Amino acid sequence: MHLTLHVWRQRGPGLLGGFVRYAMTDVSPDMSFLEMLDVLNQQLLARKDDPIAFDHDCREGICGACGMVINGRPHGPQRATTTCQLHMRSFSHGAELWIEPWRARAFPVIKDLVVDRGAFDRIIQAGGFITARTGSAPEANSLLVRKPDADLAMDAAACIGCGACVAACPNASAMLFVAAKVSHLGLLPQGQPERDTRVVTMVAQMDAEGFGACTNHGECMAACPKEISIDFIAQLNRDYWKAVVSRTPQAARKDGGDG
Amino acid sequence: MSESLRNDGRIWVPKKKGDTRPPHQIPEEERDYYLERLYPSYGNLAPRDIASRRAKEVCDEGRGVGPGRGGHGVYLDFRDAIARLGRPVIAERYGNLFEMYQRITGEDPFQVPMRIYPAPHYTMGGLWVDYNLMTTLDGLYAIGEANFSDHGANRLGASALMQGLADGYFILPYTIGDYLAHAKPAKVDPQHPGFRHVQGEVDEQVRRLLAASGRKTVDAFHRELGRVMWDKCGMSRNAAGLKEAIGRIGALRDEFWRDVYVGGRGEDLNQSLEHAGRVADFFEFAELMCHDALHREESCGCHFREEYQTPEGEAKRDDERFGYVAAWEFAGVGKEPVLHKEPLAFEAVHLAQRSYK
């Protein structure tokens, strides 16, 4: 199949970027989207042009490294699919594709389609963990978890942190990401002791990174390759208000309060 | 695809060579469920080295399925499991894998059998570590799959998870803590002669790679190296092939440094340069794998030397001569690695030849 690509090229952070047009011929419908870009890069290198920089790692849809906006949609047109798992049979012969990086103030472009997602790491560092010493492995039945909670925690834990939710949101909000991470731990017994402080510190970091607020567009859920539900955002809001309203002495101390 | 699928999927190829009928048109009596036929007690759950070799064998015979490249595939069929257990049970067990398969191939495994073929996944072995998981460099620990310690000449399903957990959960909390309790962190100084030496080496490598300005891309070299390894150091090996591979890898490495085109600059993000650095390492690693495979004159797990097999085509070990771990010391690029033997002592469970028949 033949395709016309318009790819965002930007030499470095803070520099002016723009779309560059590439005509692709003989694209196999069995290629993945990233393989198609690999082929284009080989052609660019063959004529001593700078290849297109894009993030990728496992190419199995589980690592969260890849991601680009294709015709206005993060990870492209296929539901619940990362860019690496998107195949060219999803497009028709002669299609015109506009390929851009994630667009968000909190995700500055490093080069071409590569953005800096360090903001997500800093949100996790702010509270996305448990501090309890794991010690030796406990007997599996000593901490009982209800099956619906276990399943729900697993659904939240499916988040791979790719950032498509931010790219899809008109406000560039990271609420779905934060909600998934907060709920994943908040639904399990090990996450309870720090449940209140966790949600407060993670939301604070999210705001500090410059992500927008949630105004219930629901675009994040539609773009999420792991189909994380916005129900978790409701859970995040509940947890947040509960934590703020019923501050425990420990939470207050941490914020420099009256402890 | 994940090996777990073999729990319920049945593997087969057509009995006839070059049978291009779609799978549902091939009647039961014209299908060869070759793993069930050859290994009645283990069937489709035969270890992966055996299952891989048998798949290669039936494809080499011309009975492989699927389009292109001479039918490099065998069927993994869930028809019977769906009939026996119902679609919801299969969806609960393998739903995510079925979805992944459908995304890649555009075919629905609930309707048509999957087509699979063995491929390299991980390299068996890894960095040598001591009992505390420390490498030969003081203070540098290698955990999980990066080290050699837990697996032998075969990797089993989920061994990645097992080793990550075992090393991270049970060993490191004690050994690294102990190391840190004794070691005083030295002052880190970029003016240290060791640091400057390595920095000089790296700078020189980057300079050489960017200056080469040849005709072939990094990817082209990577593919060529992969082809050599696939052909000569893959599912089955022999001495002549391995010697040939070692020669070709050396020649390819020389060509790489002479004729690679990396492009771009060293100062900003340059993925082609990153790739070039990795491929440069892969040459050394590929050479070492071939050396090791040539040295080990027995068949053992996934290391299958054609010269050492039983009359039924199964792996023939030589525990007398090769009952050890081969730890190879890097002697420099293009130099023969130095062998250190670490004998394998089995105290509770003794070595035996297993039969999967």
Side-chain angles (χ1 to χ4, degrees):
Chain A
M1 55 199 277
H2 296 191
L3 296 167
T4 306
L5 308 183
H6 303 269
V7 183
W8 184 264
R9 304 303 308 265
Q10 182 174 333
R11 289 185 63 91
L15 298 175
L16 199 64
F19 285 102
V20 177
R21 185 176 177 280
Y22 302 99
M24 288 287 287
T25 52
D26 298 325
V27 174
S28 158
D30 290 330
M31 276 180 184
S32 76
F33 200 86
L34 299 187
E35 282 166 345
M36 186 270 298
L37 289 179
D38 287 338
V39 170
L40 174 57
N41 274 346
Q42 292 305 301
Q43 294 170 2
L44 292 176
L45 280 164
R47 50 180 203 249
K48 314 241 156 168
D49 276 347
D50 204 17
I52 299 159
F54 62 91
D55 266 329
H56 59 92
D57 193 8
C58 76
R59 300 202 181 201
E60 290 184 7
I62 53 178
C63 77
C66 70
M68 50 195 80
V69 176
I70 303 160
N71 285 354
R73 298 174 72 171
H75 289 305
Q78 199 174 335
R79 183 193 61 84
T81 303
T82 53
T83 307
C84 64
Q85 293 288 292
L86 177 67
H87 285 69
M88 298 316 291
R89 68 178 77 87
S90 300
F91 303 95
S92 51
H93 175 76
E96 209 157 323
L97 305 179
W98 296 80
I99 304 167
E100 303 168 70
W102 290 167
R103 305 268 190 205
R105 187 192 297 159
F107 286 164
V109 171
I110 295 173
K111 189 179 181 183
D112 299 334
L113 305 172
V114 179
V115 298
D116 181 357
R117 284 172 289 193
F120 272 11
D121 297 336
R122 291 187 290 274
I123 291 173
I124 295 295
Q125 283 163 11
F129 49 82
I130 59 167
T131 55
R133 287 166 53 90
T134 50
S136 57
E139 157 62 28
N141 287 330
S142 63
L143 275 177
L144 297 178
V145 184
R146 294 188 328 128
K147 174 81 164 121
D149 287 346
D151 285 349
L152 213 52
M154 192 66 188
D155 288 348
C159 169
I160 53 175
C162 64
C165 47
V166 175
C169 179
N171 307 333
S173 167
M175 286 282 267
L176 192 67
F177 168 76
V178 176
K181 299 302 175 191
V182 161
S183 303
H184 155 212
L185 295 169
L187 283 159
L188 296 174
Q190 293 90 338
Q192 297 314 312
E194 289 154 304
R195 188 167 176 176
D196 288 353
T197 47
R198 175 182 307 114
V199 67
V200 172
T201 52
M202 287 179 80
V203 167
Q205 188 63 37
M206 174 184 86
D207 290 341
E209 295 290 348
F211 292 106
C214 173
T215 45
N216 296 317
H217 285 264
E219 296 286 344
C220 52
M221 180 164 75
C224 177
K226 297 295 156 186
E227 301 186 291
I228 309 283
S229 165
I230 49 172
D231 288 355
F232 289 119
I233 296 185
Q235 180 70 49
L236 171 71
N237 286 330
R238 283 168 66 98
D239 273 20
Y240 183 77
W241 284 112
K242 203 169 120 245
V244 172
V245 172
S246 67
R247 292 216 146 181
T248 61
Q250 190 199 358
R253 257 206 310 279
K254 187 144 191 172
D255 294 348
D258 57 350
Chain B
M1 299 307 298
S2 163
E3 198 164 24
S4 64
L5 291 165
R6 290 205 273 137
N7 277 315
D8 283 309
R10 295 180 72 192
I11 292 173
W12 63 278
V13 288
K15 281 187 178 162
K16 234 178 26 217
K17 283 181 194 175
D19 191 336
T20 52
R21 285 175 293 175
H24 66 272
Q25 284 178 17
I26 301 179
E28 202 59 29
E29 62 276 11
E30 290 180 44
R31 300 177 175 198
D32 180 11
Y33 295 91
Y34 58 89
L35 286 178
E36 296 173 20
R37 172 169 59 82
L38 292 165
Y39 308 100
S41 55
Y42 278 75
N44 296 297
L45 292 173
R48 63 171 66 170
D49 61 312
I50 292 176
S52 303
R53 279 197 292 276
R54 297 293 92 85
K56 180 177 187 298
E57 213 167 74
V58 294
C59 293
D60 289 351
E61 283 168 18
R63 297 196 286 147
V65 297
R69 281 183 240 148
H72 272 168
V74 299
Y75 288 126
L76 177 60
D77 200 338
F78 289 87
R79 187 193 61 183
D80 297 347
I82 293 167
R84 189 175 72 247
L85 302 164
R87 187 179 163 130
V89 174
I90 297 298
E92 163 95 25
R93 285 185 191 167
Y94 312 110
N96 57 337
L97 295 167
F98 275 38
E99 246 182 76
M100 188 190 277
Y101 181 85
Q102 188 166 10
R103 268 198 287 268
I104 295 168
T105 61
E107 289 175 5
D108 178 6
F110 282 110
Q111 307 297 332
V112 287
M114 289 182 175
R115 286 174 286 121
I116 57 167
Y117 193 71
H121 185 36
Y122 293 104
T123 328
M124 260 89 64
L127 287 171
W128 183 88
V129 286
D130 64 13
Y131 198 67
N132 293 339
L133 304 184
M134 188 161 83
T135 65
T136 48
L137 298 180
D138 185 54
L140 179 68
Y141 287 75
I143 72 157
E145 299 207 284
N147 75 39
F148 83 107
S149 63
D150 289 6
H151 48 271
N154 218 337
R155 301 202 68 117
L156 308 175
S159 75
L161 186 66
M162 179 283 295
Q163 202 179 353
L165 289 173
D167 290 359
Y169 216 73
F170 298 113
I171 302 175
L172 275 197
Y174 306 102
T175 63
I176 282 204
D178 182 57
Y179 179 85
L180 291 174
H182 291 102
K184 295 257 183 303
K187 197 170 169 289
V188 180
D189 182 9
Q191 300 308 318
H192 187 280
F195 184 94
R196 293 178 68 123
H197 173 71
V198 172
Q199 191 182 23
E201 265 183 13
V202 173
D203 285 346
E204 172 59 15
Q205 170 164 327
V206 169
R207 194 197 58 74
R208 274 180 75 192
L209 285 169
L210 290 173
S213 198
R215 292 163 300 171
K216 273 166 75 175
T217 62
V218 179
D219 206 53
F221 282 103
H222 193 176
R223 275 171 198 279
E224 223 169 306
L225 179 65
R227 175 52 70 183
V228 172
M229 294 304 280
W230 177 253
D231 285 344
K232 306 293 176 193
C233 193
M235 275 182 281
S236 66
R237 305 100 183 254
N238 60 55
L242 289 165
K243 283 180 188 150
E244 187 195 328
I246 292 169
R248 279 172 65 188
I249 293 164
L252 201 58
R253 177 174 48 219
D254 292 343
E255 193 193 334
F256 174 80
W257 287 103
R258 215 177 39 242
D259 204 23
V260 71
Y261 175 72
V262 174
R265 302 167 351 117
E267 284 73 33
D268 43 38
L269 178 67
N270 185 339
Q271 292 178 319
S272 175
L273 180 61
E274 285 174 24
H275 192 188
R278 283 171 202 261
V279 173
D281 288 343
F282 293 164
F283 287 122
E284 291 165 21
F285 186 52
E287 209 168 30
L288 178 68
M289 278 177 69
C290 291
H291 267 294
D292 184 53
L294 184 62
H295 164 82
R296 191 165 282 270
E297 294 173 329
E298 63 163 351
S299 291
C300 178
C302 286
H303 166 67
F304 188 77
R305 279 283 296 267
E306 286 157 14
E307 303 96 316
Y308 309 99
Q309 52 180 307
T310 66
E312 299 98 53
E314 304 293 351
K316 198 165 136 199
R317 284 208 319 263
D318 185 347
D319 299 331
E320 285 288 305
R321 286 175 64 215
F322 292 100
Y324 57 80
V325 170
W328 296 96
E329 182 186 336
F330 181 61
V333 177
K335 298 208 178 86
E336 286 248 349
V338 183
L339 175 63
H340 298 267
K341 293 181 183 177
E342 201 166 87
L344 290 167
F346 295 88
E347 287 168 8
V349 181
H350 294 279
L351 280 173
Q353 198 70 43
R354 288 184 80 177
S355 167
Y356 297 92
K357 299 246 170 220

